[in-house]
Amino acid sequence: MNKEIMKALGFDQHVEDVENGICPFCKKVIKIEEFDDELFLKEYKISGLCPTCQNEIFNSKKKETNNKNSL
């Protein structure tokens, strides 16, 4: 995560949350041991999202893509 870019875009609170080990979406305290998948851990290092929020975001995107493809 590029802190300067995020702050310049108005995401100061999100940056602060991630720095404090808090998921910027659900505000849950992050516990590294919750990451049982290397890909989830890699995404956490980019976005600061907990595994639950990653699942919700990426699974909903996958469903949207699948629905569009089936039309």
Side-chain angles (χ1 to χ4, degrees):
M1 174 177 60
N2 187 312
K3 294 177 191 178
E4 291 77 29
I5 291 173
M6 295 294 288
K7 287 181 178 182
L9 293 171
F11 293 100
D12 297 356
Q13 185 60 51
H14 286 78
V15 171
E16 187 177 324
D17 287 344
V18 172
E19 288 175 340
N20 291 322
I22 299 170
C23 178
F25 279 19
C26 70
K27 306 297 183 192
K28 178 180 156 190
V29 174
I30 301 289
K31 296 177 184 161
I32 295 298
E33 57 271 8
E34 292 178 352
F35 294 92
D36 57 358
D37 183 295
E38 195 64 35
L39 188 57
F40 279 82
L41 187 57
K42 186 175 181 178
E43 177 59 35
Y44 165 70
K45 291 177 182 178
I46 296 168
S47 65
L49 296 176
C50 71
T52 302
C53 288
Q54 287 185 42
N55 267 329
E56 289 178 17
I57 290 168
F58 296 120
N59 283 336
S60 69
K61 293 289 183 194
K62 188 185 285 185
K63 287 176 188 174
E64 286 175 18
T65 302
N66 288 340
N67 288 339
K68 287 179 185 176
N69 289 337
S70 65
L71 294 177

